[in-house]
Amino acid sequence: MYLYNISIISEESVHQEIVSWIKENLLANTSFNPHFLEMLHSPHEGITYCLQIQVPSEEDIVRFQQDHLIHLQNVILSKYQDKAFIFDSTMKYL
């Protein structure tokens, strides 16, 4: 089993727009059942959100990336360049 995490670090001036986009365009249109969280006491400036899915295979992660992550990355780069940063990580349950 794998945990796939996408972290989004946003300036306060645009964070609500990003949250709205994620809720309306990603969370509402996926069968992966993601968890959407706000990081408390983040060591980063701004606001940090995490989007996480649990999947049985790395192939599922690739499918999520192709179906959803690319769109999110494009939105961040085109609309919020220099105001938001996104990175992902994959973990395996032991």
Side-chain angles (χ1 to χ4, degrees):
M1 186 67 76
Y2 296 87
L3 176 68
Y4 182 61
N5 180 76
I6 301 164
S7 296
I8 303 122
I9 303 169
S10 169
E11 288 184 2
E12 290 190 33
S13 63
V14 297
H15 83 97
Q16 194 55 53
E17 291 176 42
I18 293 170
V19 167
S20 294
W21 188 94
I22 290 171
K23 287 180 176 180
E24 294 168 9
N25 296 283
L26 198 151
L27 297 179
N29 297 312
T30 185
S31 61
F32 282 94
N33 193 27
H35 297 276
F36 189 40
L37 306 105
E38 181 178 350
M39 184 181 291
L40 302 178
H41 313 292
S42 175
H44 308 287
E45 288 187 32
I47 300 171
T48 302
Y49 296 100
C50 296
L51 184 62
Q52 299 180 339
I53 59 169
Q54 291 180 325
V55 291
S57 71
E58 290 184 272
E59 290 79 17
D60 291 319
I61 294 170
V62 171
R63 189 164 53 92
F64 183 86
Q65 290 169 331
Q66 292 170 345
D67 293 349
H68 302 291
L69 180 62
I70 290 170
H71 301 297
L72 177 58
Q73 288 172 324
N74 287 338
V75 167
I76 298 291
L77 286 173
S78 66
K79 293 180 96 174
Y80 307 108
Q81 188 175 12
D82 299 327
K83 294 185 183 239
F85 176 75
I86 184 172
F87 64 94
D88 63 337
S89 55
T90 303
M91 293 152 271
K92 182 177 180 180
Y93 287 94
L94 301 177

